[in-house]
Amino acid sequence: MTMSTRDKLTAAGLVIVLIGLWELVCRAFTVRSYLFPAPSAIAESFVDNARLLGPATWVTTVEVVLGLLIALVAALGIALLLHASPTVRRGLYPLLIGSQTIPIVVLAPILVIAFGFDIGPKLVIVALTCFFPLVVATVDGLATVDPQLIRLMRTLDASRWTIFRRVELPTALPSVFSGARVAVTYAPIGAVFAEWSGSTGGLGYLMLQSTSQLRTALVFAAVIVLAAESITLFLLVTWLERVIITWKDKK
């Protein structure tokens, strides 16, 4: 579902109104900047701290992108295994669901303690954050394949690879992209949790340092950058879906 130009203008207008009210309230009640900064103070913080925000954004973006790629490869592999073997699915799928009862905020410090402060534990945390929606969406997508199409391909003496490439993969791709859209919004959250648990760089690290120094405007600036990164990744996945699944819009 795509937004019309009118919907986009309405949403943009609402955001502008909310920002204006935010600024007005902060000025009218003389709210201290370290308690709740006005939008103008946050914008000023963007300019004054560009040298801090730039490198921190790069560190977090690298963690997010690499973690997403790891999660995608792992999720597709596990999903194909679950789809190919009902026995494996009955044994492994409940374990995957049960693993989601363990909060990432609990695992993050354990991984950092075990493997150090380099990028490795952070990639694992981001991958774990994104893995579940990807694998569930892929498994569900593969399960929606019409059995009659499979039987038809077998009567034509199609190989297992041909059936997967011609029938199963095209059917599952919309679900895979649906899971990917969810995963990319989770990825920056996982990266921040990882950086909070132990790091020497990134937006999460910058937020911790700024909070301890009561630089609340800089914390808000980092949050806005994270939100912008999530939105950008979401739009990128949506664009890739339109480019790759060309037959979807023709239905």
Side-chain angles (χ1 to χ4, degrees), residues 72-119:
L72 181 61
V73 172
L76 292 179
I78 295 295
L80 290 175
L81 179 62
L82 295 176
H83 177 68
S85 174
T87 302
V88 174
R89 177 169 181 168
R90 286 192 296 269
L92 187 58
Y93 202 63
L95 295 178
L96 291 176
I97 296 174
S99 68
Q100 297 307 297
T101 62
I102 304 174
I104 292 295
V105 292
V106 175
L107 290 177
I110 296 175
L111 290 172
V112 170
I113 292 172
F115 300 105
F117 291 85
D118 59 4
I119 195 173

Side-chain angles (χ1 to χ4, degrees), residues 64-181:
V64 167
V65 172
L66 293 180
L68 273 170
L69 291 176
I70 294 171
L72 181 61
V73 172
L76 292 179
I78 295 295
L80 290 175
L81 179 62
L82 295 176
H83 177 68
S85 174
T87 302
V88 174
R89 177 169 181 168
R90 286 192 296 269
L92 187 58
Y93 202 63
L95 295 178
L96 291 176
I97 296 174
S99 68
Q100 297 307 297
T101 62
I102 304 174
I104 292 295
V105 292
V106 175
L107 290 177
I110 296 175
L111 290 172
V112 170
I113 292 172
F115 300 105
F117 291 85
D118 59 4
I119 195 173
K122 299 171 184 61
L123 297 183
V124 173
I125 294 166
V126 174
L128 288 174
T129 304
C130 303
F131 173 78
F132 190 71
L134 283 169
V135 72
V136 169
T138 304
V139 169
D140 289 345
L142 291 170
T144 61
V145 177
D146 189 349
Q148 293 185 1
L149 289 177
I150 301 293
R151 287 194 290 268
L152 175 62
M153 294 294 288
R154 287 173 178 168
T155 59
L156 297 175
D157 199 26
S159 65
R160 187 70 185 86
W161 166 248
T162 301
I163 294 174
F164 172 75
R165 184 167 58 91
R166 296 291 187 181
V167 178
E168 293 177 324
L169 181 60
T171 302
L173 271 179
S175 296
V176 173
F177 275 102
S178 295
R181 284 196 296 271

Side-chain angles (χ1 to χ4, degrees), residues 164-212:
F164 172 75
R165 184 167 58 91
R166 296 291 187 181
V167 178
E168 293 177 324
L169 181 60
T171 302
L173 271 179
S175 296
V176 173
F177 275 102
S178 295
R181 284 196 296 271
V182 175
V184 296
T185 60
Y186 287 170
I189 299 173
V192 169
F193 279 148
E195 291 166 358
W196 282 353
S197 300
S199 66
T200 57
L203 290 171
Y205 174 79
L206 181 62
M207 291 166 66
L208 279 181
Q209 296 296 312
S210 302
T211 301
S212 64

Side-chain angles (χ1 to χ4, degrees), residues 19-104:
I19 292 175
L21 290 174
W22 180 358
E23 181 76 27
L24 181 63
V25 169
C26 289
R27 289 181 179 273
F29 293 95
T30 319
V31 180
R32 300 286 185 180
S33 181
Y34 65 86
L35 293 177
F36 194 74
S40 57
I42 298 172
E44 184 179 350
S45 181
F46 265 110
V47 176
D48 295 341
N49 298 284
R51 292 185 178 181
L52 294 176
L53 286 168
T57 302
W58 171 252
V59 170
T60 301
T61 301
V62 170
E63 295 168 356
V64 167
V65 172
L66 293 180
L68 273 170
L69 291 176
I70 294 171
L72 181 61
V73 172
L76 292 179
I78 295 295
L80 290 175
L81 179 62
L82 295 176
H83 177 68
S85 174
T87 302
V88 174
R89 177 169 181 168
R90 286 192 296 269
L92 187 58
Y93 202 63
L95 295 178
L96 291 176
I97 296 174
S99 68
Q100 297 307 297
T101 62
I102 304 174
I104 292 295

